[in-house]
Amino acid sequence: GESVGLHLPTLSVQEGDNSIINCAYSNSASDYFIWYKQESGKGPQFIIDIRSNMDKRQGQRVTVLLNKTVKHLSLQIAATQPGDSAVYFCAEKKGVKAAGNKLTFGGGTRVLVKP
Amino acid sequence: GAGVSQSPSNKVTEKGKDVELRCDPISGHTALYWYRQSLGQGLEFLIYFQGNSAPDKSGLPSDRFSAERTGGSVSTLTIQRTQQEDSAVYLCASSSRNEQFFGPGTRLTVL
């Protein structure tokens, strides 16, 4: 079902450490996943995506891991910086090429980077 | 414009009044979404338009909420007889296939 209006869990991390943000998704038929970052006062911004035929994808300082067996998605941020402080959302979709299928968002995790 | 735009950026209204929120999606994007985000919380799906298909209204919280999308482009979210619990940031997003591009949102405050 939809994740709606959940109170956000918070992850506090020391600047320079690695961050791991976890997300459990609900639809085993989902085959496309995205991580979004939302800074205060702004709309969510795309970070990285992954298709279900992959279990790992790397970007600049970020890595997304997908475990379809347990329907778990994680985002790893290397050498966390103050600018990484934000709320992070995962989203899932069934049908990579189907524009008609909507994304379903998870509840979000707030990351606070301590100097 | 290059991105999704929304107007107004802030709206303060009195309880019981109607409000209209506007979204201009990225040109050519066939899908348009409205979400609501209360302070410190996640995204709450409201409504989804895809091309000429009937909109998915499954997230609208009450019949006071409605939305339309004219000509497959601009969308308006209307809230009638606003209540204080309607206070939130209303986000619009558009997509052409997978990734959704979000606008900056409209912050609605109902006094």
Side-chain angles (χ1 to χ4, degrees), chain A residues 50-106:
Chain A
I50 188 168
R51 299 187 179 193
S52 60
N53 60 353
M54 303 172 68
D55 53 21
K56 180 179 180 179
R57 191 168 187 216
Q58 289 185 295
Q60 186 177 13
R61 282 201 308 117
V62 294
T63 301
V64 55
L65 299 177
L66 175 63
N67 185 332
K68 296 181 287 296
T69 302
V70 295
K71 293 189 289 187
H72 184 267
L73 192 68
S74 69
L75 178 70
Q76 300 177 0
I77 305 173
T80 311
Q81 301 171 0
D84 295 327
S85 292
V87 176
Y88 291 81
F89 294 96
C90 65
E92 60 181 296
K93 179 180 179 182
K94 176 185 174 183
V96 173
K97 296 183 178 180
N101 294 335
K102 68 186 183 190
L103 282 173
T104 300
F105 280 82

Side-chain angles (χ1 to χ4, degrees), chain A residues 2 102, chain B residues 45-50 53-60:
Chain A
E2 305 273 353
K102 68 186 183 190
Chain B
F45 167 78
L46 296 177
I47 188 168
Y48 161 57
F49 296 89
Q50 172 55 48
S53 302
D56 177 350
K57 304 179 181 180
S58 60
L60 295 178

Side-chain angles (χ1 to χ4, degrees), chain B residues 4 19 22 25 30 36 38 43-45 55-56 71 73 75 89 94 104 108-111:
Chain B
V4 178
V19 296
R22 176 186 170 106
T30 58
R36 177 167 71 176
S38 299
L43 295 169
E44 178 185 2
F45 167 78
D56 177 350
S73 180
S75 178
V89 174
S94 71
L108 175 66
T109 303
V110 182
L111 301 177

